[in-house]
Amino acid sequence: QYEKEPDIWDMQGYNTINLAAAAIKKANSTERSKIAKALHEIKYYGLGHEPVSFNENGSLASGFNLYIVRLENNRFVYVKPQ
């Protein structure tokens, strides 16, 4: 359908969206603090990676690198942790 095989960026996007969805579902909320708390409580098993988990500071304890970006003026802008 897309005339190409998925690459590493496709897999990272898939994992990132599914990790966010799992945290939102566990938090039963879209409130930022509740999602953050849920991220500390889950281990996400994504495609092609070891389980992802976070430490008490919110940094990745294991798994893949995770970058959150937003679209501003037709450009992706990195969202820094708060």
Side-chain angles (χ1 to χ4, degrees):
Q1 176 181 353
Y2 298 103
E3 300 180 11
K4 75 175 190 88
E5 291 295 315
D7 61 20
I8 189 69
W9 302 112
D10 299 323
M11 192 176 351
Q12 186 176 29
Y14 176 89
N15 282 332
T16 302
I17 292 297
N18 281 286
L19 174 61
I24 291 167
K25 184 176 181 178
K26 179 166 183 60
N28 195 29
S29 173
T30 56
E31 187 178 316
R32 187 177 190 160
S33 62
K34 291 180 180 179
I35 295 169
K37 182 178 183 301
L39 280 171
H40 291 273
E41 297 171 355
I42 63 174
K43 278 194 177 180
Y44 172 74
Y45 294 84
L47 296 175
H49 296 286
E50 64 184 82
V52 175
S53 61
F54 296 87
N55 66 23
E56 62 278 354
N57 298 320
S59 298
L60 282 168
S62 65
F64 58 92
N65 292 326
L66 178 67
Y67 302 99
I68 300 175
V69 296
R70 70 173 173 256
L71 192 60
E72 273 185 18
N73 299 320
N74 293 321
R75 295 184 60 205
F76 288 109
V77 177
Y78 172 68
V79 176
K80 295 178 183 163
Q82 294 186 3

